[in-house]
Amino acid sequence: MTLTITVAAPSSTANLGPGFDVFGLAVNAFYDEITLTKTKTKGVIIVAEDDIPTNPDKNTAGLVVKNMIKKFKTKDGIEIKIKKNVPAGYGMGSSAASAAAAAVAFDKLYKLKLDENLLVEFAGTGEKASAGSIHYDNVAASVLGGFVIVKTDPLDIIKIDPPSNLRMVIAVPRLKVPKRKTKVSRSAIPKKISLTSSTKNLSNATAIVVGFMNKDPELIGKSIKDMIVEPARKHMIPGFSKVKENALKAGAYGVTISGAGPSVIAFSKSSQDLKKISQAMTKGFESAKLECQTIICKPSIGAKIKT
Ligand code: ADP
């Protein structure tokens, strides 16, 4: 009988410009590790060293496990050990990585053999603990890996293998992020949009999908243009315009906010000077008196069982 299982799930970037709540990409920058262990005492306990909630209802992994226990009527208690590597609250899908790893681990622990869409659906329920609402872009990328498109009603995740030479530079500014950052930045988005900006976003979003299908990093990067969400959110990231301008000048094909920010992500390919792009982004944040950590990364595979 399996008593314990460990799963690692990757960080991810959501939206990729025009694909708000629809596009996600798993990135190999960081991996959260979740260990689930069956216990004799009922209920869910969270063991975590980092500054994340240990109340299961407020923790994305805790909520996923609670929802799965309820749905599958399992009898054991569960201890969730969280080794957090994805920095929380920076738009790198930290809350989603924990949720994704928890769903995959629970599935394995009880040999449920759930299909991919159901795994993503359960992982998505965890996002309620951090963002206040369910959204699937980050969890889908974290569970399945690669580039994902979230098709809804009913939930159906479409996955495309990214080009092997696609590279990203992520700049994570040292900025104090508000506790309910995703909720706050979601409220900044306009409720009504013009037909012109919707047409432009649709055109770019479609081109991104073609870029992934044709394995063309340049088409992907050059289509990362967002007329709707980025203009409404960029003021929340000091130095954003300079970071973007510098990265584009240094050879990035496209630059946008990673998820709800404040990390900024530049898209390029392996033959480009990625160090130059990361230095340019650092300088951009320096113009706003902010330090940042830059990570050169590539697409990742999805959640993986370690033991
Ligand atoms: P991210 O882009 O990192 O997912 P969010 O703002 O959506 O950013 O989520 C981070 C928030 O979610 C933090 O306030 C954090 O305390 C909370 N949270 C709850 N559970 C977790 C978890 N397991 N991992 C990371 N953050 C979590």
Side-chain angles (χ1 to χ4, degrees), residues 221-259:
K222 291 201 162 150
S223 312
I224 298 206
K225 289 191 184 123
D226 170 22
M227 311 292 295
I228 300 167
V229 178
E230 187 184 296
R233 279 181 172 172
K234 65 180 182 189
H235 70 275
M236 294 173 165
I237 308 169
F240 174 78
S241 298
K242 197 74 191 150
V243 174
K244 181 170 177 172
E245 186 192 319
N246 285 2
L248 291 171
K249 271 197 199 143
Y253 299 134
V255 181
T256 192
I257 303 168
S258 181

CSV table of all heavy atoms in Angstrom, one decimal, residues 221-259:
chain,number,residue,atom,x,y,z
A,221,GLY,N,7.2,35.5,-30.0
A,221,GLY,CA,7.6,36.7,-29.3
A,221,GLY,C,7.0,38.0,-29.9
A,221,GLY,O,6.5,38.8,-29.2
A,222,LYS,N,7.0,38.1,-31.2
A,222,LYS,CA,6.5,39.3,-31.9
A,222,LYS,C,5.0,39.5,-31.7
A,222,LYS,O,4.5,40.5,-32.0
A,222,LYS,CB,7.0,39.3,-33.3
A,222,LYS,CG,8.5,39.5,-33.4
A,222,LYS,CD,9.0,40.0,-34.7
A,222,LYS,CE,10.4,40.6,-34.5
A,222,LYS,NZ,11.2,40.5,-35.7
A,223,SER,N,4.3,38.4,-31.4
A,223,SER,CA,2.9,38.5,-31.2
A,223,SER,C,2.5,38.7,-29.8
A,223,SER,O,1.3,38.8,-29.4
A,223,SER,CB,2.2,37.2,-31.7
A,223,SER,OG,2.7,36.8,-33.0
A,224,ILE,N,3.5,38.8,-28.9
A,224,ILE,CA,3.2,39.0,-27.5
A,224,ILE,C,2.9,40.5,-27.3
A,224,ILE,O,3.8,41.3,-26.8
A,224,ILE,CB,4.3,38.4,-26.6
A,224,ILE,CG1,4.3,36.9,-26.9
A,224,ILE,CG2,4.2,38.8,-25.1
A,224,ILE,CD1,4.8,36.0,-25.8
A,225,LYS,N,1.7,40.9,-27.7
A,225,LYS,CA,1.3,42.3,-27.6
A,225,LYS,C,-0.1,42.3,-27.1
A,225,LYS,O,-0.9,41.6,-27.6
A,225,LYS,CB,1.3,42.9,-29.0
A,225,LYS,CG,2.7,43.2,-29.6
A,225,LYS,CD,2.7,44.0,-30.8
A,225,LYS,CE,4.1,44.2,-31.4
A,225,LYS,NZ,4.1,43.7,-32.8
A,226,ASP,N,-0.3,43.1,-26.0
A,226,ASP,CA,-1.6,43.1,-25.3
A,226,ASP,C,-2.1,44.5,-25.2
A,226,ASP,O,-1.5,45.3,-24.6
A,226,ASP,CB,-1.4,42.4,-24.0
A,226,ASP,CG,-2.6,42.5,-23.1
A,226,ASP,OD1,-3.7,42.7,-23.6
A,226,ASP,OD2,-2.4,42.4,-21.9
A,227,MET,N,-3.3,44.7,-25.8
A,227,MET,CA,-3.9,46.0,-25.7
A,227,MET,C,-4.8,46.2,-24.5
A,227,MET,O,-5.4,47.3,-24.3
A,227,MET,CB,-4.8,46.2,-27.0
A,227,MET,CG,-4.1,45.9,-28.3
A,227,MET,SD,-2.8,47.1,-28.7
A,227,MET,CE,-3.7,48.6,-28.8
A,228,ILE,N,-5.1,45.1,-23.8
A,228,ILE,CA,-6.2,45.2,-22.8
A,228,ILE,C,-5.6,45.1,-21.4
A,228,ILE,O,-5.9,46.1,-20.6
A,228,ILE,CB,-7.2,44.0,-23.1
A,228,ILE,CG1,-7.8,44.2,-24.5
A,228,ILE,CG2,-8.3,44.1,-22.0
A,228,ILE,CD1,-8.6,43.0,-25.0
A,229,VAL,N,-5.0,44.1,-21.0
A,229,VAL,CA,-4.6,43.9,-19.6
A,229,VAL,C,-3.3,44.6,-19.3
A,229,VAL,O,-3.2,45.3,-18.2
A,229,VAL,CB,-4.5,42.3,-19.3
A,229,VAL,CG1,-4.1,42.1,-17.9
A,229,VAL,CG2,-5.8,41.7,-19.6
A,230,GLU,N,-2.3,44.5,-20.1
A,230,GLU,CA,-1.0,45.1,-19.8
A,230,GLU,C,-1.1,46.6,-19.6
A,230,GLU,O,-0.6,47.2,-18.6
A,230,GLU,CB,0.0,44.8,-20.9
A,230,GLU,CG,1.4,45.3,-20.6
A,230,GLU,CD,2.4,45.1,-21.7
A,230,GLU,OE1,2.7,43.9,-22.1
A,230,GLU,OE2,2.9,46.1,-22.3
A,231,PRO,N,-1.8,47.4,-20.5
A,231,PRO,CA,-2.0,48.8,-20.2
A,231,PRO,C,-2.6,49.1,-18.9
A,231,PRO,O,-2.3,50.1,-18.2
A,231,PRO,CB,-2.8,49.3,-21.4
A,231,PRO,CG,-2.7,48.3,-22.4
A,231,PRO,CD,-2.5,47.0,-21.7
A,232,ALA,N,-3.5,48.2,-18.4
A,232,ALA,CA,-4.3,48.5,-17.2
A,232,ALA,C,-3.4,48.1,-15.9
A,232,ALA,O,-3.7,48.6,-14.8
A,232,ALA,CB,-5.6,47.7,-17.2
A,233,ARG,N,-2.4,47.3,-16.1
A,233,ARG,CA,-1.7,46.8,-15.0
A,233,ARG,C,-0.3,47.4,-14.9
A,233,ARG,O,0.3,47.3,-13.8
A,233,ARG,CB,-1.6,45.3,-15.1
A,233,ARG,CG,-2.8,44.5,-14.6
A,233,ARG,CD,-2.5,43.0,-14.7
A,233,ARG,NE,-3.6,42.3,-14.0
A,233,ARG,CZ,-3.7,41.0,-14.1
A,233,ARG,NH1,-2.8,40.3,-14.8
A,233,ARG,NH2,-4.7,40.3,-13.5
A,234,LYS,N,0.3,47.9,-16.0
A,234,LYS,CA,1.7,48.2,-16.0
A,234,LYS,C,2.1,49.2,-14.9
A,234,LYS,O,3.2,49.2,-14.4
A,234,LYS,CB,2.2,48.6,-17.3
A,234,LYS,CG,1.6,49.8,-17.9
A,234,LYS,CD,2.2,50.1,-19.3
A,234,LYS,CE,1.6,51.4,-19.8
A,234,LYS,NZ,2.0,51.6,-21.2
A,235,HIS,N,1.2,50.1,-14.5
A,235,HIS,CA,1.5,51.1,-13.5
A,235,HIS,C,1.8,50.5,-12.2
A,235,HIS,O,2.4,51.1,-11.3
A,235,HIS,CB,0.4,52.2,-13.4
A,235,HIS,CG,-0.9,51.6,-12.8
A,235,HIS,ND1,-1.8,50.9,-13.5
A,235,HIS,CD2,-1.3,51.6,-11.5
A,235,HIS,CE1,-2.8,50.5,-12.7
A,235,HIS,NE2,-2.5,50.9,-11.4
A,236,MET,N,1.4,49.2,-12.0
A,236,MET,CA,1.6,48.6,-10.7
A,236,MET,C,3.1,48.1,-10.6
A,236,MET,O,3.5,47.6,-9.5
A,236,MET,CB,0.7,47.4,-10.5
A,236,MET,CG,-0.7,47.7,-10.4
A,236,MET,SD,-1.7,46.2,-10.5
A,236,MET,CE,-3.3,46.9,-9.9
A,237,ILE,N,3.8,48.1,-11.7
A,237,ILE,CA,5.2,47.6,-11.7
A,237,ILE,C,6.1,48.8,-12.0
A,237,ILE,O,6.2,49.2,-13.2
A,237,ILE,CB,5.4,46.5,-12.8
A,237,ILE,CG1,4.3,45.5,-12.6
A,237,ILE,CG2,6.8,46.0,-12.8
A,237,ILE,CD1,4.2,44.5,-13.7
A,238,PRO,N,6.8,49.4,-11.0
A,238,PRO,CA,7.7,50.5,-11.2
A,238,PRO,C,8.8,50.1,-12.3
A,238,PRO,O,9.4,49.1,-12.1
A,238,PRO,CB,8.3,50.8,-9.9
A,238,PRO,CG,7.4,50.1,-8.9
A,238,PRO,CD,6.8,48.9,-9.6
A,239,GLY,N,9.0,51.0,-13.2
A,239,GLY,CA,10.0,50.7,-14.2
A,239,GLY,C,9.6,49.8,-15.4
A,239,GLY,O,10.4,49.6,-16.3
A,240,PHE,N,8.4,49.4,-15.4
A,240,PHE,CA,8.0,48.4,-16.4
A,240,PHE,C,8.3,48.9,-17.9
A,240,PHE,O,8.9,48.1,-18.6
A,240,PHE,CB,6.5,48.1,-16.3
A,240,PHE,CG,6.0,47.2,-17.4
A,240,PHE,CD1,6.2,45.8,-17.4
A,240,PHE,CD2,5.3,47.7,-18.6
A,240,PHE,CE1,5.8,45.0,-18.5
A,240,PHE,CE2,4.9,46.9,-19.6
A,240,PHE,CZ,5.2,45.5,-19.6
A,241,SER,N,7.9,50.1,-18.2
A,241,SER,CA,8.1,50.5,-19.6
A,241,SER,C,9.6,50.5,-20.0
A,241,SER,O,9.9,50.2,-21.1
A,241,SER,CB,7.5,51.9,-19.8
A,241,SER,OG,6.1,51.9,-19.5
A,242,LYS,N,10.4,50.9,-19.0
A,242,LYS,CA,11.9,50.9,-19.3
A,242,LYS,C,12.4,49.5,-19.5
A,242,LYS,O,13.2,49.2,-20.4
A,242,LYS,CB,12.6,51.7,-18.2
A,242,LYS,CG,13.9,52.2,-18.5
A,242,LYS,CD,13.9,53.4,-19.4
A,242,LYS,CE,15.3,53.6,-19.9
A,242,LYS,NZ,15.3,54.2,-21.3
A,243,VAL,N,11.9,48.6,-18.6
A,243,VAL,CA,12.4,47.2,-18.7
A,243,VAL,C,12.0,46.7,-20.0
A,243,VAL,O,12.8,46.0,-20.7
A,243,VAL,CB,11.7,46.4,-17.6
A,243,VAL,CG1,12.1,44.9,-17.7
A,243,VAL,CG2,12.1,46.9,-16.2
A,244,LYS,N,10.8,46.9,-20.5
A,244,LYS,CA,10.3,46.4,-21.8
A,244,LYS,C,11.2,47.0,-22.9
A,244,LYS,O,11.7,46.3,-23.8
A,244,LYS,CB,8.9,46.8,-21.9
A,244,LYS,CG,8.2,46.3,-23.2
A,244,LYS,CD,6.7,46.4,-23.2
A,244,LYS,CE,6.1,46.0,-24.5
A,244,LYS,NZ,4.7,45.9,-24.4
A,245,GLU,N,11.3,48.3,-22.9
A,245,GLU,CA,12.0,49.0,-24.0
A,245,GLU,C,13.5,48.5,-24.1
A,245,GLU,O,14.0,48.2,-25.1
A,245,GLU,CB,12.0,50.5,-23.6
A,245,GLU,CG,12.6,51.4,-24.7
A,245,GLU,CD,12.8,52.8,-24.1
A,245,GLU,OE1,11.9,53.3,-23.4
A,245,GLU,OE2,13.9,53.4,-24.4
A,246,ASN,N,14.1,48.4,-22.9
A,246,ASN,CA,15.5,47.9,-22.9
A,246,ASN,C,15.6,46.5,-23.4
A,246,ASN,O,16.5,46.1,-24.2
A,246,ASN,CB,16.0,47.9,-21.4
A,246,ASN,CG,16.4,49.3,-20.9
A,246,ASN,OD1,16.2,50.2,-21.6
A,246,ASN,ND2,16.9,49.4,-19.7
A,247,ALA,N,14.7,45.6,-23.0
A,247,ALA,CA,14.8,44.2,-23.4
A,247,ALA,C,14.6,44.1,-25.0
A,247,ALA,O,15.3,43.3,-25.6
A,247,ALA,CB,13.7,43.4,-22.7
A,248,LEU,N,13.6,44.9,-25.5
A,248,LEU,CA,13.4,44.8,-26.9
A,248,LEU,C,14.6,45.3,-27.7
A,248,LEU,O,15.0,44.8,-28.7
A,248,LEU,CB,12.1,45.7,-27.3
A,248,LEU,CG,10.8,45.1,-26.8
A,248,LEU,CD1,9.7,46.1,-27.0
A,248,LEU,CD2,10.5,43.8,-27.5
A,249,LYS,N,15.2,46.4,-27.1
A,249,LYS,CA,16.5,46.9,-27.8
A,249,LYS,C,17.6,45.9,-27.8
A,249,LYS,O,18.4,45.9,-28.6
A,249,LYS,CB,16.9,48.2,-27.0
A,249,LYS,CG,16.3,49.5,-27.6
A,249,LYS,CD,17.0,50.7,-27.1
A,249,LYS,CE,16.2,51.9,-27.2
A,249,LYS,NZ,16.4,52.9,-26.1
A,250,ALA,N,17.6,45.1,-26.7
A,250,ALA,CA,18.7,44.1,-26.5
A,250,ALA,C,18.4,42.8,-27.4
A,250,ALA,O,19.2,41.9,-27.3
A,250,ALA,CB,18.8,43.8,-25.1
A,251,GLY,N,17.3,42.8,-28.1
A,251,GLY,CA,17.1,41.7,-29.0
A,251,GLY,C,15.9,40.8,-28.6
A,251,GLY,O,15.7,39.8,-29.3
A,252,ALA,N,15.2,41.1,-27.6
A,252,ALA,CA,14.0,40.2,-27.2
A,252,ALA,C,12.9,40.4,-28.3
A,252,ALA,O,12.8,41.5,-28.9
A,252,ALA,CB,13.4,40.6,-25.9
A,253,TYR,N,12.2,39.4,-28.6
A,253,TYR,CA,11.1,39.5,-29.6
A,253,TYR,C,9.9,40.1,-29.1
A,253,TYR,O,9.1,40.8,-29.8
A,253,TYR,CB,10.8,38.1,-30.2
A,253,TYR,CG,11.9,37.5,-30.9
A,253,TYR,CD1,12.2,36.1,-30.7
A,253,TYR,CD2,12.7,38.1,-31.8
A,253,TYR,CE1,13.2,35.5,-31.3
A,253,TYR,CE2,13.8,37.5,-32.4
A,253,TYR,CZ,14.0,36.2,-32.2
A,253,TYR,OH,15.1,35.5,-32.8
A,254,GLY,N,9.6,39.9,-27.8
A,254,GLY,CA,8.4,40.4,-27.2
A,254,GLY,C,8.6,40.4,-25.6
A,254,GLY,O,9.4,39.6,-25.1
A,255,VAL,N,7.9,41.3,-25.0
A,255,VAL,CA,8.0,41.5,-23.5
A,255,VAL,C,6.7,41.7,-22.9
A,255,VAL,O,5.9,42.5,-23.5
A,255,VAL,CB,9.0,42.6,-23.2
A,255,VAL,CG1,9.1,42.8,-21.7
A,255,VAL,CG2,10.3,42.5,-23.8
A,256,THR,N,6.3,41.1,-21.8
A,256,THR,CA,5.1,41.4,-21.1
A,256,THR,C,5.2,41.1,-19.7
A,256,THR,O,6.2,40.7,-19.2
A,256,THR,CB,3.9,40.7,-21.8
A,256,THR,OG1,2.7,41.2,-21.3
A,256,THR,CG2,3.9,39.2,-21.5
A,257,ILE,N,4.1,41.4,-19.0
A,257,ILE,CA,4.0,41.0,-17.5
A,257,ILE,C,3.8,39.5,-17.4
A,257,ILE,O,3.0,39.0,-18.2
A,257,ILE,CB,2.8,41.8,-16.9
A,257,ILE,CG1,2.9,43.3,-17.1
A,257,ILE,CG2,2.7,41.4,-15.4
A,257,ILE,CD1,1.6,44.1,-16.7
A,258,SER,N,4.5,38.9,-16.5
A,258,SER,CA,4.3,37.5,-16.3
A,258,SER,C,3.1,37.3,-15.4
A,258,SER,O,3.1,37.7,-14.2
A,258,SER,CB,5.5,36.8,-15.7
A,258,SER,OG,5.3,35.4,-15.5
A,259,GLY,N,2.0,36.7,-15.9
A,259,GLY,CA,0.8,36.5,-15.1
A,259,GLY,C,0.3,37.8,-14.5
A,259,GLY,O,0.2,38.8,-15.3
